[in-house]
Amino acid sequence: LFRSDYIAETRAQFAFVSTNSISQGTQVAILWPHILESLEIGFAHQSFKWSNNAKGNAGVTCVIVGIRDTSGKQKQLFNGQISHSAKNINPYLVDSDNVFIKDRKKPLSTIPKLTFGNMPNDGGNLIISTSEKAVLLSDYPEAGKMIRRYLGADEFLKGKERWCIWIPDDLLDLAMQIPTISSRIDNVRAFRSSSNRKATQLLSDRPHKFGEIRHIESDAIIVPFHSSERREYIPFGIVTNETIVSNAAGVIYDPPTWIFAITSSRMHMTWVRAVAGRLETRIRYSSALCYNTFPFPEITEARKATLEDHVFKVLDEREHHPEKTMAELYDPDKMPDGLRHAHHEMDLVVEQCYRPRPFKSDEERLKYLFKLYEDMIEAEKRK
């Protein structure tokens, strides 16, 4: 920032190498408005892996950014061996107008709310393995009313099985008659009572329940918060009301089916890759920055019905490969041709929600989305 003040209104310029975090996530809206108020990005190299021969090489992902006073001079974007001229290089290091995506508490578009899953805060006592579930049901078959599938991002992506003890208030008396469960409830009470946090201590008054409950008895879309940057699509999933989504994933309760097409689209992935933060190189998906900011236009009921048809085609293609986990299905080197084709066909329909003709590249998609985002923000302000 001090260097940018120093070169304002001069012909001086400077460049720096940084981790790519400065062009992603919440950092963009914090840092770049101060710099680009009077200066511009003259050239930039988009994200690349920095490697060297040092022992224990961390292999961080970096960018190179050149800053100069505003001018009509040519701007250049680099990506590996490829370079091209740009009309403007914005803080996300793409050829588009300057825009700063700020996290939001509510969706910008007319789409349902995405929340965190359910947090046990139980010291591990309300979570059980498949073998523990089998023993419990063998000894106490009536406990089946209080066992639910427990699904976080890791379980969903890698096909792992975990279960939770989920006790509605009307089943508490029955639960306390089952020694295995009642002892676990006692352990939860002791765990919460011994916490240094006042809020956790207060939860000891209801030790048979999760610490944070957001579950609704409806179908839901599960949203992995971390996903490999290699995947063409983040694998979203649809779960039934019997599944308890953990706080290690996001969840959209009682969603219209067509929402799955939007979140699973190339348009959405293009947006996410540009604005999301990173954990190492993995995509760190968030409701505030990725989902709530995503610009999506109002569409007709007929268009929604068409999208739903394509959602079912994608889900059907997944069902054709029950031996594969979600991680395997969406590995770009192993993705089945049928699933890839179903996604492509769904992408085309999603893009028609924005404009009649298809987009030629992700750069073109992103430029369109940035402009739509700005228009929707302005319309929101006018309201």
Side-chain angles (χ1 to χ4, degrees):
L1 288 177
F2 294 120
R3 183 69 60 86
S4 65
D5 289 340
Y6 181 74
I7 72 168
E9 300 181 5
T10 74
R11 288 184 295 175
Q13 54 186 317
F14 70 93
F16 60 91
V17 180
S18 169
T19 60
N20 63 349
S21 61
I22 66 164
S23 59
Q24 300 167 346
T26 57
Q27 292 89 334
V28 171
I30 295 171
L31 170 67
W32 285 101
H34 300 286
I35 298 176
L36 298 181
E37 183 178 10
S38 58
L39 302 172
E40 67 181 11
I41 300 174
F43 75 89
H45 194 300
Q46 296 168 328
S47 295
F48 64 95
K49 288 283 186 70
W50 179 285
S51 59
N52 55 51
N53 295 323
K55 184 177 181 180
N57 178 17
V60 296
T61 303
C62 298
V63 295
I64 303 173
V65 184
I67 305 294
R68 69 188 186 194
D69 195 20
T70 54
S71 70
K73 294 180 180 178
Q74 183 179 11
K75 302 174 180 69
Q76 203 76 11
L77 262 175
F78 298 86
N79 191 327
Q81 301 299 315
I82 301 173
S83 70
H84 68 270
S85 299
K87 182 179 179 181
N88 183 70
I89 301 175
N90 77 7
Y92 297 94
L93 306 189
V94 296
D95 183 1
S96 186
D97 294 338
N98 290 336
V99 59
F100 311 100
I101 311 300
K102 298 180 180 179
D103 52 7
R104 297 173 55 94
K105 293 182 179 180
K106 295 181 180 180
L108 174 64
S109 308
T110 308
I111 54 178
K113 184 180 180 181
L114 167 63
T115 70
F116 281 96
N118 304 270
M119 181 184 291
N121 201 350
D122 65 333
N125 290 286
L126 296 178
I127 312 303
I128 58 177
S129 65
T130 299
S131 59
E132 289 172 324
K133 172 196 170 190
V135 172
L136 180 58
L137 292 180
S138 176
D139 294 341
Y140 306 97
E142 64 273 24
K145 301 177 182 178
M146 295 167 277
I147 297 177
R148 298 279 193 104
R149 179 79 182 271
Y150 185 62
L151 205 62
D154 198 48
E155 291 83 10
F156 171 68
L157 292 173
K158 298 178 182 178
K160 298 179 180 179
E161 277 194 345
R162 283 208 296 173
W163 309 84
C164 67
I165 298 172
W166 189 262
I167 307 171
D169 291 336
D170 61 345
L171 292 179
L172 179 57
D173 288 342
L174 175 61
M176 297 306 293
Q177 295 171 23
I178 301 174
T180 304
I181 294 180
S182 64
S183 65
R184 286 176 174 267
I185 292 174
D186 290 340
N187 291 340
V188 174
R189 181 184 291 107
F191 169 79
R192 292 175 179 174
S193 297
S194 62
S195 173
N196 294 325
R197 296 181 67 246
K198 182 66 175 177
T200 302
Q201 294 173 13
L202 294 174
L203 293 174
S204 62
D205 290 341
R206 51 180 184 88
H208 65 292
K209 288 189 172 184
F210 274 38
E212 295 180 13
I213 298 175
R214 301 178 183 89
H215 180 73
I216 297 175
E217 293 294 335
S218 71
D219 289 351
I221 294 176
I222 183 171
V223 181
F225 280 146
H226 297 106
S227 183
S228 169
E229 75 283 359
R230 294 182 60 248
R231 294 183 182 126
E232 294 179 43
Y233 306 92
I234 294 176
F236 294 81
I238 296 179
V239 297
T240 68
N241 66 320
E242 290 296 315
T243 299
I244 304 301
V245 177
S246 83
N247 61 303
V251 59
I252 305 171
Y253 285 111
D254 197 19
T257 304
W258 60 270
I259 288 295
F260 180 91
I262 307 309
T263 58
S264 302
S265 68
R266 189 179 187 95
M267 289 294 286
H268 188 54
M269 279 302 302
T270 301
W271 182 259
V272 171
R273 289 185 188 281
V275 306
R278 293 289 193 275
L279 183 64
E280 298 170 340
T281 59
R282 289 177 293 160
I283 294 173
R284 184 166 57 192
Y285 193 95
S286 74
S287 59
L289 202 55
C290 299
Y291 183 82
N292 290 346
T293 64
F294 182 59
F296 186 74
E298 299 285 347
I299 59 175
T300 65
E301 293 302 316
R303 184 77 73 186
K304 292 175 183 177
T306 303
L307 287 172
E308 289 182 356
D309 289 341
H310 284 275
V311 169
F312 293 128
K313 289 177 181 178
V314 168
L315 297 177
D316 286 345
E317 286 297 330
R318 289 181 179 182
E319 292 297 323
H320 290 164
H321 304 276
E323 77 285 357
K324 294 183 180 293
T325 65
M326 282 294 158
E328 292 169 336
L329 282 173
Y330 284 85
D331 183 323
D333 298 328
K334 303 175 182 177
M335 192 174 188
D337 291 339
L339 180 59
R340 194 186 302 275
H341 179 73
H343 266 285
H344 175 68
E345 293 296 310
M346 188 166 69
D347 285 339
L348 294 176
V349 178
V350 171
E351 292 186 8
Q352 288 170 2
C353 296
Y354 291 91
R355 70 182 197 187
R357 67 183 189 279
F359 292 91
K360 297 179 181 179
S361 65
D362 285 344
E363 288 76 15
E364 190 177 2
R365 291 182 182 91
L366 190 56
K367 191 170 185 176
Y368 188 99
L369 289 171
F370 278 143
K371 181 62 169 62
L372 180 59
Y373 172 84
E374 289 186 294
D375 291 345
M376 293 179 71
I377 289 293
E378 286 302 314
E380 186 179 60
K381 290 178 180 177
R382 288 195 298 269
K383 288 182 181 179

